[in-house]
Amino acid sequence: MTTANFFQKDWYEILGAHPSDSQQELKQNYQKLVLLYHPDKQSADVPAGELEERVQRFIEVDQAWKILGNEETKREYDLQRRADECYIYDCRCGGEFILAKEEAEENISVICCNTCSLSIEILKRS
């Protein structure tokens, strides 16, 4: 799988899950979907086009579990999702200043480091 595909798809949505779900909940969703879409579980009277869609869905569900079922790849995926939704600036203490892109549209003037007490002022250019 290419890096672009790794980050472009919403693997949580494919599993019918949320980022806040526990590992056990993710696994339950995966198992339910695998039983539903596994090629060996399909009846013989399913039309060929629908069968192909189900096989493709099975492949996506399996890929989602390979990413979200592994703590390391899940952490990397979650960090990238978070970075895509926020502006992040490194603080001198090693912490980060994090500004959600939605908040950047508003007139927020000061944000704080997530580790120390340092704050920075955000100037919005017109």
Side-chain angles (χ1 to χ4, degrees):
M1 174 184 315
T2 65
T3 304
N5 285 345
F6 180 80
F7 295 118
Q8 285 180 346
K9 291 192 177 189
D10 185 346
W11 299 114
Y12 288 105
E13 183 179 327
I14 290 169
L15 279 185
H18 302 283
S20 60
D21 287 352
S22 70
Q23 203 63 17
Q24 183 64 29
E25 290 169 314
L26 292 173
K27 185 176 182 178
Q28 288 172 347
N29 285 11
Y30 165 72
Q31 290 172 335
K32 180 181 75 171
L33 292 171
V34 162
L35 287 174
L36 183 63
Y37 294 112
H38 195 284
D40 293 343
K41 300 290 184 182
Q42 304 305 312
S43 63
D45 61 343
V46 174
E50 187 176 331
L51 181 61
E52 182 61 34
E53 288 176 20
R54 290 181 182 191
V55 169
Q56 189 59 39
R57 180 87 166 108
F58 170 77
I59 292 168
E60 283 186 330
V61 166
D62 191 53
Q63 289 174 337
W65 177 246
K66 286 178 181 174
I67 292 167
L68 300 177
N70 178 302
E71 287 295 325
E72 185 177 321
T73 55
K74 181 181 183 296
R75 183 174 27 258
E76 183 181 341
Y77 177 70
D78 288 344
L79 286 172
Q80 183 61 42
R81 279 175 49 101
R82 186 173 139 221
D84 288 345
E85 297 170 0
C86 301
Y87 296 107
I88 300 174
Y89 184 76
D90 293 330
C91 181
R92 65 183 179 206
C93 74
E96 298 174 324
F97 297 98
I98 302 171
L99 179 64
K101 289 185 179 179
E102 299 157 354
E103 294 173 338
E105 300 300 319
E106 300 170 8
N107 289 329
I108 296 176
S109 58
V110 178
I111 58 172
C112 301
C113 173
N114 64 358
T115 305
C116 71
S117 61
L118 191 62
S119 300
I120 59 173
E121 183 176 4
I122 306 296
L123 301 174
K124 188 174 178 180
R125 292 185 184 175
S126 301

